[in-house]
Amino acid sequence: MEQYYVLQNGVKMPRIGYGTYKCTDGSDEQIVRMALEAGYRLLDTAAAYENEEYVGKAIQESGIKREEIFLTSKVWKTNLGYEKTVKSFEESLERLGTDYLDLFLLHWPKPDPESKDWKELDRESWRALEEFYHQGKVRAIGVSNFLPHHLEALMETAKVRPMVDQLELHVGYLQEAAVQYCKSWGIQVQAWSPLGRRRVLEEPAVIRMAEKYQVSPAQFLLKFLLQQSIGVIPKASSMERMRQNLILPEIEIAEEDLYMLRCLPQIGWGGEHPDLARVAAQGS
């Protein structure tokens, strides 16, 4: 299986990465270091995760060359706007102990669902990202949780098109319109929460399919997305699970099975939407 996606500007991004959200809660850099030992070379973090220092320390302690690791971080939605974005980026670099990022994202398109000036805030933040990109401080720039109408507004003034859009995507919450829009513009889609929640892993249709293809439900869910050219950043806290999520069996899911899973009712949604108030997660 090809290990990378090639972004619009030729940068190679690993298809499978390690999501660090909550991985250091109550601990230190040990889990991140374990992910590197398991073989992950894409680490996804964010200012809002409050673990960039641990991620940076894990990289430094691993002995792996910085250029061999694809490092992603994000500016939080309350820091949108040119000046705040510049400050957030510089602070992220300092906490991570690096002088460049491989990918930097706008974490959410709006400070809150009722925001009236979100378009201007996004455009000003994006102007800062374009500067980082042209200065060589970032190898690729993109967004997270941006839907087509958010991207349309951003691209009205953007000089560099977003290269990645990171979305909550999994069986039961596939955001087909957003995915197809991104693909039409050459924007690489990357799935956060690619395994959904317990409700998705325990979905009878998923279990049956996993048994049919002789893989675990988690491996099947990851292959389902990868086969549609969607990158994944699963989380795991044990070496065994980390390796299972990274070293996937070579299977090809039949087209009829793909269609059936894409047409399942909505399940496992995390409750976050950029234009709506947060709701309780479905089947957490």
Side-chain angles (χ1 to χ4, degrees):
M1 182 180 72
E2 177 56 51
Q3 298 300 308
Y4 300 91
Y5 291 121
V6 180
L7 305 182
Q8 295 168 29
N9 64 344
V11 167
K12 290 184 176 181
M13 182 180 79
R15 288 160 47 104
I16 305 174
Y18 183 72
T20 69
Y21 178 56
K22 290 189 175 181
C23 81
T24 60
D25 287 6
S27 64
D28 52 20
E29 71 279 359
Q30 181 180 352
I31 297 294
V32 183
R33 196 165 65 237
M34 190 188 303
L36 291 169
E37 291 171 2
Y40 288 87
R41 291 297 178 266
L42 186 159
L43 297 178
D44 178 87
T45 185
Y49 299 171
E50 298 183 347
N51 66 6
E52 288 174 312
E53 289 182 11
Y54 292 134
V55 172
K57 191 174 180 182
I59 292 171
Q60 291 158 18
E61 292 176 350
S62 71
I64 300 168
K65 293 179 181 178
R66 170 65 185 89
E67 58 268 26
E68 294 179 12
I69 296 172
F70 192 99
L71 185 57
T72 301
S73 194
K74 315 174 191 75
V75 56
W76 186 234
K77 59 185 178 181
T78 55
N79 284 324
L80 291 173
Y82 180 83
E83 297 294 343
K84 287 184 176 180
T85 296
V86 169
K87 186 172 185 289
S88 178
F89 176 74
E90 291 172 347
E91 290 173 346
S92 286
L93 288 183
E94 184 176 353
R95 287 190 292 265
L96 288 161
T98 185
D99 58 1
Y100 77 98
L101 291 177
D102 296 280
L103 178 63
F104 193 57
L105 308 176
L106 304 185
H107 206 149
W108 287 89
K110 295 181 177 182
D112 63 75
E114 303 304 318
S115 175
K116 302 298 183 185
D117 60 347
W118 63 271
K119 292 182 181 180
E120 185 60 27
L121 288 171
D122 284 353
R123 289 166 180 165
E124 285 299 297
S125 287
W126 192 252
R127 181 164 66 88
L129 265 64
E130 289 178 333
E131 289 182 6
F132 304 150
Y133 177 65
H134 289 307
Q135 291 165 358
K137 295 178 179 178
V138 179
R139 296 177 65 226
I141 53 177
V143 295
S144 179
N145 302 297
F146 274 55
L147 304 178
H149 56 292
H150 306 126
L151 286 163
E152 288 271 296
L154 185 68
M155 289 196 290
E156 285 181 9
T157 58
K159 293 180 174 62
V160 179
R161 189 188 310 161
M163 298 163 191
V164 173
D165 192 357
Q166 196 179 94
L167 299 164
E168 178 182 357
L169 293 172
H170 51 76
V171 167
Y173 194 66
L174 289 170
Q175 305 207 65
E176 299 266 12
V179 171
Q180 293 309 312
Y181 180 88
C182 287
K183 288 184 175 182
S184 73
W185 281 99
I187 300 170
Q188 177 62 52
V189 179
Q190 188 180 52
W192 64 264
S193 193
L195 304 179
R197 284 147 191 85
R198 187 178 64 215
R199 174 68 183 83
V200 181
L201 287 163
E202 294 177 355
E203 164 62 38
V206 171
I207 293 173
R208 286 198 303 273
M209 290 287 180
E211 290 174 349
K212 173 180 176 179
Y213 290 95
Q214 298 182 320
V215 294
S216 72
Q219 289 176 320
F220 181 76
L221 290 169
L222 295 176
K223 290 290 292 190
F224 170 81
L225 293 169
L226 289 166
Q227 192 167 321
Q228 297 172 79
S229 299
I230 296 171
V232 295
I233 43 172
K235 294 188 300 182
S237 57
S238 73
M239 180 64 82
E240 181 183 3
R241 290 279 178 85
M242 286 178 182
R243 285 177 171 158
Q244 284 182 357
N245 291 344
L246 181 63
I247 306 169
L248 299 173
E250 289 290 339
I251 62 169
E252 185 78 15
I253 302 172
E255 188 173 24
E256 63 178 338
D257 293 335
L258 289 175
Y259 277 128
M260 189 276 283
L261 290 162
R262 290 170 68 180
C263 294
L264 285 176
Q266 181 170 297
I267 52 172
W269 174 43
E272 299 277 6
H273 190 286
D275 301 315
L276 306 171
R278 192 180 191 283
V279 300
Q282 298 179 355
S284 58

